[in-house]
Amino acid sequence: MKGGMSMMKSIVTKKIVLFIFLCSFFLVAACSKFVKDPLVGKWERISDGAVVEVSKIGDAYQSKLSKVSKSLKEYSFTEKYIKWKEIKQITKNNYRGQELHKYRKMINWPTNDPYYEEFSIKIREDNTLETNGASNRLDTIQQWKKVE
């Protein structure tokens, strides 16, 4: 009788440990879904007020224009344009992807076909980000602040 009681305690103890483990696993899994991704959200360009909305699609990110600034309108940008695409996280706060560009050969000429160019994103601790294009022809550093 004593051996049966000991075996029963062992089974109950194992079930309790298993129950605690499973509860902990599901709690951690549920909480990880609520951790905010620092890149996802709305970002406003400080220089002109243009706004992009960044979302995660699969294992990459993209942004769509949700507010087109006057300077972007001059180049025929419109809302819903995919401004940034194929963005991949490189390190904790550093990303690389493709940025949409349009340019004019001369003033008053029509805008040329849009093209994407490599660029980088760095998220700063003050809830701003900095984008930097790969092009050496212009100073392409831009500052953005998170608005949502």
Side-chain angles (χ1 to χ4, degrees), residues 95-111:
Y95 303 79
R96 285 200 172 282
Q98 301 289 314
E99 181 178 30
L100 180 64
H101 290 274
K102 293 184 176 187
Y103 69 95
R104 293 181 176 157
K105 290 181 181 176
M106 296 178 67
I107 295 175
N108 296 326
W109 281 31
T111 304

Side-chain angles (χ1 to χ4, degrees), residues 2 8-9 13 26 30 33 37 46 50 52 67 100 102 121-122 125:
K2 191 173 185 179
M8 184 91 109
K9 284 182 181 179
T13 302
F26 287 116
K33 290 183 179 182
D37 189 312
I46 294 170
V52 295
K67 180 181 175 191
L100 180 64
K102 293 184 176 187
I121 297 173
K122 180 176 180 83
E125 291 180 16

